[in-house]
Each structure stands twice: as C-alpha cells, then as structure tokens.
C-alpha cells in the first residue's frame, strides 16, 4: 500500500547524511557514462532505447531549448521516479525476497541471501521496464534483450548500494541522477541538433529541398558538415528504420558515389531531388523522396 511504501522510505532513508549523498552521486557517474556510450552507439539493438528517450524528451519539452523549465521538470520527474522505484524494489521487494530465501533455507548465510535477493529484485526491476504488451515476439527480440540487460545492470548497481549501506539514500540519489542526466541531457542534445539543422537549412523548410537539407543536418550529429556511416545508421534509426549493418552500408555507398567515405549536403540533396513529387508538403515530399531514393522503398 501507499502507506507502507511511505513508511519504508521514512524508516530507511537519511537525506541529511552527506556521506550517503556523496556515495549516491559517485555511484551515478559510471552509470551516466554508460548512458552516454549507449546514446552515441549505432548498434541496432540499442536504437529503440535511444529513440524512446528522444521521443519522451521531445514530447515533454518540445523543439526549443527550455533550460529552466526542462531542468526543474526533469529534476522533479526523475527524483519522484528514483524515490518510488527504489523504495519499492530495494526497500520492499529486496528484503521480502531475502526473508523468503532465508525462511526456505535456500541460502547458507545472510551475505548469500542478500546477494541472491539483489539479483532477483534486479530481474524484477528490469522486467518492469519491458513492454509486456508487445507479445512474445517483442520479449525475445534483440531490442528487449538489450533493454533488459541495461536495466538489470542498473538495478544490480542500485541493489549493491542498498546492500552495502542498508539505506535507501544512496540508491535513490544514484537512480535520480542517472535518469536526470538521460532526460535533461537528451532535451539539450535534440534541441541543439534541431536548432543547428534549421540554421544550416535556412530556417523552417519551405520546399522539399529545404526539408532534405534539414534532414541531412539532423543526421550530422558532430556538426562537421558531413554524414558518416555511423551517423547515417543512427539517422535511419531515428526515422524508425532498423536495417542490419550490411544494408545501411549499402545505402551509404549508394549516396556516396565518389567513395570518399562521407556524405555531404550536395550528395544527399542530389539523391533526394531526383525523386521529389509535387503537390505534397515540403516535409512529406522530402520524406517520401528520401525513402524512394535512399532507402529504395516503393511508394
């Protein structure tokens, strides 16, 4: 019940402890670093994780950078998430699992019971982040395995903090900071990328070619004026296209006609321009043309 959850939080947290706060902050750093690696990855299995975070940040805060509002809202959402999830999974589920294992004599020592309870609670924590309505096909997909592995690792880190301290403060702080870095950091990244793309394309697209230029610069993540094979793969993922690496390499070579290993704006726009249909909005015409010319989709 809510009352039991609140009681668990009050009995097992000490936010006036500077050492607990510092431990939680320090523990968050490697998790945040791992998140950054995943964010910049072009691995197909991680595409849905990155896309869902991008869509969440965009739906909450829009296309314009909102430092104060996004900062405050992200801090509130992520603190609430950290408090609730850690209180439930580490403050309630993990001790109950420990007692269940001990009462059935399935562990030889308290330390072993704590370790097993931490692992089992992390399995439940990771399972709770999966889209269980996606059916068996989703649950056994590479994307689901990647998400489960990531959340299991995170859950195990939080469980370790709780097991070492017997207190919820450090895992709550680590969890909240990790989520905050992902949400607020994603907001800053996508709004800066959108601003860069519109600036390079000359503002909001008025023609299909303007939209094609904007799409090109949305994929130019390092803002050097070129799209690399890795950037193209990440760009395809953001369009909801998850091709195998061999296919994305084939797509890249199709556009990179001179074989210099990079796609510039001229190459990209020329490829799209040959397939533009009239009578549609700039974004739709450019999107359809890109699907035909770059992805080979018949429309």
């Amino acid at each position: 019940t809510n009352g039991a959850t609140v009681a668990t939080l009050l009995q097992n947290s000490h936010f006036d402890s500077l050492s607990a706060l510092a431990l939680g902050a320090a523990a968050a750093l490697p998790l945040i670093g791992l998140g950054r690696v995943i964010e910049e990855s072009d691995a197909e299995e991680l595409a849905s994780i990155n896309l869902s975070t991008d869509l969440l940040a965009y739906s909450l805060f829009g296309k314009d950078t909102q430092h104060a509002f996004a900062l405050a809202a992200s801090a509130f959402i992520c603190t609430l998430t950290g408090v609730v999830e850690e209180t439930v999974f580490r403050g309630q589920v993990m001790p109950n699992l420990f007692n269940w294992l001990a009462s059935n004599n399935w562990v030889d020592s308290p330390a072993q019971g704590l370790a097993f309870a931490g692992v089992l609670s992390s399995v439940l924590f990771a399972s709770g982040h999966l889209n269980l309505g996606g059916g068996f096909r989703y649950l056994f997909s590479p994307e689901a395995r990647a998400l489960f592995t990531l959340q299991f690792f995170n859950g195990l880190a939080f469980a370790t903090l709780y097991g070492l301290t017997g207190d919820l403060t450090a895992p709550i702080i680590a969890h909240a900071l990790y989520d905050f870095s992902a949400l607020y950091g994603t907001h800053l990244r996508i709004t800066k990328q959108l601003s860069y793309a519109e600036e390079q394309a000359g503002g909001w697209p008025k023609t299909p070619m303007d939209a094609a230029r904007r799409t090109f610069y949305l994929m130019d993540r390092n803002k050097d004026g070129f799209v690399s094979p890795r950037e193209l793969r990440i760009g395809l993922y953001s369009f909801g296209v998850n091709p195998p690496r061999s296919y994305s390499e084939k797509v890249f070579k199709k556009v990179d006609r001179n074989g210099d290993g990079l796609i510039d704006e001229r190459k990209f726009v020329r490829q799209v321009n040959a397939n533009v249909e009239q009578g549609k909005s700039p974004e739709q015409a450019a999107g359809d043309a890109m699907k035909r010319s770059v992805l080979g989709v018949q429309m």
Side-chain angles (χ1 to χ4, degrees), residues 44 233 236-237 241-251:
E44 180 183 356
R233 282 193 291 274
L236 292 176
Y237 298 149
V241 180
N242 294 351
R245 186 177 293 268
S246 59
Y247 180 78
S248 63
E249 290 173 352
K250 181 180 178 180
V251 168

Side-chain angles (χ1 to χ4, degrees), residues 12-17 20-21 24 162 165-174:
N12 295 278
S13 60
H14 300 85
F15 292 101
D16 57 346
S17 170
L21 296 176
Y162 180 69
T165 63
D167 189 276
L168 288 171
T169 307
I172 286 174
I173 294 298

Side-chain angles (χ1 to χ4, degrees), residues 69-86:
F69 172 70
L71 181 70
S74 297
F76 174 77
I77 293 170
C78 297
T79 299
L80 182 62
T81 302
V83 168
V84 172
E85 292 191 353
E86 291 311 305

Side-chain angles (χ1 to χ4, degrees), residues 247-258:
Y247 180 78
S248 63
E249 290 173 352
K250 181 180 178 180
V251 168
F252 188 89
K253 291 178 181 179
K254 181 179 180 180
V255 183
D256 180 26
R257 294 183 178 180
N258 66 357

Side-chain angles (χ1 to χ4, degrees), residues 1 18 87 134 153 158 173 187-188 208 258 269 289:
T1 64
L18 293 180
T87 302
F153 176 80
F158 303 142
I173 294 298
H187 167 65
L188 295 180
N258 66 357
V269 172

Side-chain angles (χ1 to χ4, degrees), residues 41-60:
S41 173
D42 62 350
E44 180 183 356
E45 296 80 5
L46 301 175
S48 62
I49 298 176
N50 292 329
L51 182 58
S52 64
T53 307
D54 289 355
L55 291 175
L56 175 61
Y58 188 84
S59 65
L60 287 174

